[in-house]
Amino acid sequence: MARIVQKFGGTSVGDIARIQNVARRVKAEVDRGNQVAVVVSAMSGVTNQLVDYCNKIAPDVAPDYDQREYDAVVATGECVTSGLLAIALQQLGLQARSWAGWQIPIATDGAHGKARIASIDGAEIVRSMESGHVAVVAGFQGLGPDNRISTLGRGGSDTTAVALAAAVKADRCDIYTDVDGVYTTDPRIVSAARKLDKITYEEMLEMASLGAKVLQTRSVEMAMKHRVRVQVLSSFTDQPGTLVCDEEEIVEQELVSGVAYSRDEAKVTLVGVQDQPGVAAGIFGPLADANINVDMIVQNASSDGTTDLTFTTSRSELERAVKVVKENMKVPHRSISTDKAVAKVSVIGVGMRSHAGVAQTMFKALADKGINIHIISTSEIKVSVLISEEYTELAIRALHTAYGLDAAA
Ligand code: ADP
Ligand code: ASP
Ligand code: MG
């Protein structure tokens, strides 16, 4: 007997027939003698619709309206599917009940709209599982310290599932989605993408944080921290999925395991900034205080005693970032320019640690396609480049081929 947390994403619970299909999958796991808890997302499209309602009711301030009310609205999608799945399970003869985040409770911090899970009291869910009941938990939601409903950021049901798996000490957390595993790159962009049997926590963390939204980044952080065995698989087929696990479990490690991309990027350049100590601190301090994430940074010194300073942030935060910089810019500078039509493409692999020349393969593959690189950033296990958005797909395909990742035709 194993204890398993299953998570079903939006497409998997997209309509009544699909919820009934999910119920059959849950029953199959129970019939194998396992203890099961289930986490569900909202039906696909529902969260977008709910976000849209919020934006429409306060168009002049959107998205800066009361985030506690945003959470109250957007958390409802998961309440619907958890109740429906509990009924579908009862229809199959199982004992099941739905749990909203606040009922468990899943305690979060107070960052409404993008809250972090602080703790989960797994006792009730464990009791429920031990007595043969199926707990159906609404993903994406929790309870803030202000006693108000909170949500975990888009894609947050993955994090609910992994956190719950850690809290109830599950043997496995199965994430069912609309693809049958983690691929070398987004299979919707590159048809030659290959499914990986296994991927390390570290690589999956990089892949997710660099744009592969198959798992929410925080869910991978959580899995890595608590050593939760996560499996990504499809709710529509019976193919084996991808196991996210420790490096030691992977016998043959590829040099590069995957290519990720993000279009949620924007570039800000401060031109002709006086070159003197404290400039960077004066720019990035206020950005940090305003809770704006800065990603890549480059600075070019020029011969006339000024420098050009370029950084990237997410597209949705660009306007705010520029405002903060303008308000706090204390040193002389010539101008500020911005570019929203950029994308970040990254190659990821733990094999990079022990091999030279990985970045060069990337630069050459991009050069061969005539793609200009705006910014480069590297870490131990990834190389990222910022390029013009129009070349995103071309770059992903070229890199996928250059690192020998294409599936045999
Ligand atoms: P769910 O609603 O089940 O949470 P998501 O849409 O959040 O599903 O995540 C699944 C999607 O992630 C896939 O449809 C796929 O387009 C995308 N994706 C991006 N990169 C990858 C990758 N490397 N491997 C698999 N899927 C990926
Ligand atoms: N329903 C939420 C979203 O669309 C959470 C999730 O699906 O993971 O972002
Ligand atoms: Mg998702």
Side-chain angles (χ1 to χ4, degrees):
M1 186 211 63
R3 182 173 289 173
I4 296 168
V5 173
Q6 298 180 300
K7 180 257 171 177
F8 294 91
T11 318
S12 305
V13 294
D15 58 32
I16 296 300
R18 287 183 174 181
I19 293 176
Q20 287 166 329
N21 170 53
V22 164
R24 285 190 291 274
R25 281 198 180 265
V26 175
K27 183 171 187 305
E29 210 60 84
V30 173
D31 288 347
R32 278 193 277 274
N34 294 324
Q35 292 182 358
V36 183
V38 185
V39 173
V40 284
S41 288
M43 289 180 176
S44 60
V46 166
T47 309
N48 287 346
Q49 176 72 72
L50 295 168
V51 172
D52 202 44
Y53 287 150
C54 294
N55 290 337
K56 286 211 172 103
I57 207 130
D60 47 331
V61 291
D64 291 328
Y65 36 75
D66 187 342
Q67 295 297 296
R68 294 164 301 187
E69 301 307 347
Y70 165 91
D71 280 348
V73 175
V74 301
T76 58
E78 274 72 9
C79 294
V80 173
T81 43
S82 57
L84 288 173
L85 180 58
I87 297 174
L89 290 168
Q90 290 167 7
Q91 289 291 107
L92 296 181
L94 297 179
Q95 291 181 299
R97 73 153 272 197
S98 64
W99 295 79
W102 63 267
Q103 291 173 317
I104 293 179
I106 296 178
T108 72
D109 65 15
H112 283 278
K114 50 174 192 257
R116 278 180 177 274
I117 295 178
S119 65
I120 297 185
D121 183 349
E124 283 288 329
I125 302 293
V126 167
R127 253 196 297 283
S128 147
M129 288 168 109
E130 283 175 343
S131 64
H133 290 234
V134 178
V136 185
V137 177
F140 180 52
Q141 53 176 265
L143 186 65
D146 50 1
N147 209 28
R148 310 270 302 253
I149 289 170
S150 56
T151 63
L152 309 178
R154 300 303 306 268
S157 297
D158 295 332
T159 303
T160 307
V162 175
L164 186 68
V168 303
K169 299 197 170 34
D171 298 290
R172 223 174 54 223
C173 180
D174 289 343
I175 308 271
Y176 286 89
T177 182
D178 55 1
V179 285
D180 57 4
V182 178
Y183 279 69
T184 45
T185 192
D186 190 341
R188 296 192 198 288
I189 298 226
V190 180
S191 55
R194 264 190 298 124
K195 187 169 73 182
L196 299 162
D197 296 334
K198 292 180 178 175
I199 184 167
T200 66
Y201 290 116
E202 274 180 291
E203 287 168 320
M204 192 62 240
L205 186 60
E206 289 284 2
M207 290 266 275
S209 67
L210 294 167
K213 66 165 192 159
V214 59
L215 289 176
Q216 198 198 33
T217 307
R218 280 183 194 166
S219 73
V220 189
E221 274 169 14
M222 186 89 69
M224 194 162 152
K225 184 166 164 209
H226 298 283
R227 287 305 190 254
V228 176
R229 289 172 77 79
V230 171
Q231 192 179 198
V232 178
L233 63 176
S234 164
S235 62
F236 302 106
T237 68
D238 286 315
Q239 300 296 316
T242 302
L243 184 71
V244 188
C245 60
D246 274 320
E247 209 170 323
E248 295 77 61
E249 285 192 53
I250 302 182
V251 187
E252 262 183 67
Q253 192 61 61
E254 311 255 3
L255 187 59
V256 163
S257 303
V259 182
Y261 68 97
S262 162
R263 289 193 163 94
D264 183 22
E265 305 289 326
K267 186 174 80 163
V268 180
T269 303
L270 312 178
V271 184
V273 182
Q274 191 84 52
D275 199 4
Q276 63 186 58
V279 169
I283 293 167
F284 296 112
L287 286 168
D289 293 342
N291 217 350
I292 294 171
N293 265 331
V294 169
D295 180 17
M296 302 165 129
I297 300 176
V298 277
Q299 186 180 339
N300 304 314
S302 66
S303 50
D304 66 358
T306 67
T307 80
D308 287 353
L309 209 153
T310 300
F311 68 88
T312 64
T313 185
S314 74
R315 232 173 255 184
S316 54
E317 291 190 318
L318 176 64
E319 276 76 32
R320 222 157 55 82
V322 170
K323 191 163 166 260
V324 169
V325 170
K326 280 188 176 155
E327 282 169 5
N328 292 281
M329 211 46 199
K330 300 223 166 54
V331 287
H333 63 284
R334 272 201 297 282
S335 59
I336 299 181
S337 66
T338 61
D339 187 354
K340 273 188 172 186
V342 289
K344 185 170 65 176
V345 177
S346 312
V347 297
I348 297 116
V350 289
M352 279 183 210
R353 282 198 198 112
S354 46
H355 284 83
V358 175
Q360 176 52 22
T361 304
M362 181 175 204
F363 304 151
K364 173 144 192 336
L366 296 175
D368 287 348
K369 296 286 179 198
I371 301 172
N372 190 35
I373 300 172
H374 301 222
I375 309 182
I376 301 166
S377 85
T378 64
S379 79
E380 222 190 354
I381 66 162
K382 66 110 188 187
V383 185
S384 299
V385 291
L386 193 77
I387 59 172
S388 295
E389 189 184 9
E390 58 187 309
Y391 299 122
T392 311
E393 298 193 3
L394 181 64
I396 298 168
R397 290 205 181 91
L399 295 172
H400 201 264
T401 305
Y403 288 104
L405 296 174
D406 290 353

